[in-house]
Amino acid sequence: MKRNSGNVRQSLYSEVTDRVIAELEAGRLPWVQPWEASACGCALPENGVTGRRYSGINILILWAAVMERGYGVQRWLTFRQA
């Protein structure tokens, strides 16, 4: 069954909005470097196969994943690439 891309996109936007609101409620500005630099190699995330840098909201989503999970690199794959 094919998922409705509109619902998937809305879910993603809701998730990002909820994260930003949680950071603001905790007294942090998520667009200003509130993190400890050593906990995040906060270079721009890039695709591990093509080398293309991610842009827009994808940067915030991927930075959040790095900080939450402690990943050591900013190279990512799409589902199909994996």
Side-chain angles (χ1 to χ4, degrees):
M1 175 187 288
K2 185 176 178 183
R3 293 190 294 180
N4 182 333
S5 64
N7 289 340
V8 172
R9 179 169 286 179
Q10 184 60 39
S11 175
L12 176 62
Y13 289 164
S14 294
E15 180 182 337
V16 171
T17 300
D18 291 345
R19 286 183 181 188
V20 170
I21 290 171
E23 290 293 310
L24 291 172
E25 288 175 343
R28 295 183 293 268
L29 300 175
W31 51 86
V32 177
Q33 187 174 354
W35 55 85
E36 182 182 327
S38 65
C40 176
C42 290
L44 287 177
E46 65 181 47
N47 184 282
V49 172
T50 67
R52 181 176 172 263
R53 290 190 173 170
Y54 287 88
S55 62
I57 195 69
N58 292 323
I59 294 171
L60 295 176
I61 293 168
L62 296 173
W63 278 350
V66 166
M67 289 182 283
E68 287 176 7
R69 297 179 178 101
Y71 296 149
V73 295
Q74 283 286 348
R75 296 181 60 99
W76 300 87
L77 299 175
T78 66
F79 181 79
R80 286 187 178 177
Q81 288 171 333

